Amino acid sequence: MTHDLDNRMHFAIDLARRAGELGLKYFRDLDNLAVESKGHQDLVSEGDREVELFIRAAIAEAYPQDGIVGEEHAAVTGTTGHVWVIDPIDGTANFVRGIPAWCVVIACARNGETIVGVIHEPSTGETFYGRLGGGAFLNGKPIKASDAASLSEGAVGTGLSNRASTKNVVILISLIMAEGGVFYRNASGALMLAYAASGRLLGYIEEHMNPWDCLAGMLLVEEAGGRVLKADPKTVVSQGTQVIAGGKHIFSRLQLLGESSFLPTR
């Protein structure tokens, strides 16, 4: 089993880096990039679609019986219990505007449990990766979630979901700042989770994330010694989940902030 996990992880690392190179070609030619709107502040580009097709083709060749779930194309049902969950370009709003803060995200889940996670940021060449029980790494070096115990010791990543109330995010940010903390947002939830796994951020909170944005990063936070709000393995791949993740000493505080901000009655 460990051998299979390692093989899947190294496959995903290589694939994310190759997909990132393809994404960079579009990023460097934005004047000719076709962009569409899927809704409020929700964009998709030709680059998103083509990079996802590239990733899907590679997975279909290497693991033809596995399922695939991605942001831009229809899900593929597999027979092995393994599902690859992919976001070809997380941070499309940055990507299409020339902001170098976007990433390729590849996760692999087995019966609803994430077993491999890779987040590759092509603009910096940083690849965050890990597999279940194997630790978390950045370009070959182990990473560790923050040891901070107070919000005043760093920044908390925050997301803004179009599936949740904006009022709730305002409440969350107010609570963070009231405790002497600051909030951080770069329009890529996956990258912010990678930053939480590597201790750059204290943690990350978002009321709802799609599975392709969060599964890889949540695994990395746990493998880096942090904690995450446990998702329901029966629904997380198909429906996504609320995300609260961070260092082990700050997690309980982040969880209380989430509970205070995301009440259904808000």
Side-chain angles (χ1 to χ4, degrees):
M1 184 63 70
T2 299
H3 180 67
D4 179 61
L5 287 178
D6 284 336
N7 285 344
R8 288 175 178 271
M9 181 183 71
H10 289 296
F11 165 78
I13 292 168
D14 177 69
L15 179 54
R17 287 172 173 165
R18 289 189 291 128
E21 285 299 314
L22 177 58
L24 277 174
K25 292 180 180 179
Y26 289 98
F27 187 64
R28 291 166 178 157
D29 190 25
L30 293 179
D31 288 342
N32 296 306
L33 184 68
V35 181
E36 301 173 18
S37 174
K38 296 190 291 184
H40 178 64
Q41 294 289 333
D42 190 5
L43 303 174
V44 61
S45 75
E46 177 187 5
D48 293 81
R49 294 191 172 112
E50 291 303 314
V51 173
E52 182 165 321
L53 288 174
F54 174 83
I55 295 172
R56 283 171 174 263
I59 293 171
E61 181 178 357
Y63 296 97
Q65 303 305 315
D66 287 1
I68 304 175
V69 172
E71 182 171 13
E72 308 303 343
H73 297 280
V76 173
T77 301
T79 60
T80 64
H82 290 86
V83 180
W84 295 89
V85 186
I86 57 179
D87 191 343
I89 298 175
D90 183 50
T92 300
N94 293 334
F95 181 86
V96 302
R97 297 181 176 108
I99 300 172
W102 53 275
C103 58
V104 178
V105 190
I106 301 177
C108 184
R110 181 179 60 221
N111 299 320
E113 180 181 33
T114 308
I115 57 173
V116 167
V118 177
I119 299 171
H120 173 62
E121 186 177 19
S123 297
T124 61
E126 291 190 325
T127 308
F128 303 83
Y129 61 89
R131 55 97 169 155
L132 186 65
F137 301 86
L138 167 56
N139 291 353
K141 297 182 179 180
I143 55 176
K144 186 173 182 291
S146 173
D147 281 329
S150 168
L151 292 176
S152 64
E153 296 180 60
V156 177
T158 58
L160 180 60
S161 171
N162 58 14
R163 294 164 299 280
S165 172
T166 305
K167 295 179 181 179
N168 294 351
V169 178
V170 174
I171 294 169
L172 172 63
I173 291 172
S174 298
L175 292 174
I176 292 171
M177 296 182 70
E179 294 195 22
V182 294
F183 68 95
Y184 175 89
R185 174 169 162 76
N186 70 359
S188 171
L191 265 184
M192 287 185 279
L193 280 168
Y195 292 172
S198 56
R200 297 175 182 178
L201 295 175
L202 300 179
Y204 182 77
I205 307 177
E206 185 165 346
E207 188 166 1
H208 180 273
M209 294 183 76
N210 286 316
W212 44 79
D213 294 327
C214 68
L215 292 189
M218 291 169 69
L219 174 68
L220 294 182
V221 170
E222 286 197 291
E223 290 298 325
R227 294 179 60 192
V228 304
L229 184 68
K230 292 295 185 181
D232 185 343
K234 296 180 181 178
T235 61
V236 66
V237 173
S238 60
Q239 299 177 24
T241 185
Q242 183 177 127
V243 175
I244 301 175
K248 60 184 179 181
H249 300 300
I250 202 74
F251 176 78
S252 60
R253 192 67 217 153
L254 297 177
Q255 190 170 16
L256 285 173
L257 292 179
E259 291 172 353
S260 299
S261 306
F262 303 151
L263 294 174
T265 55
R266 293 286 186 185

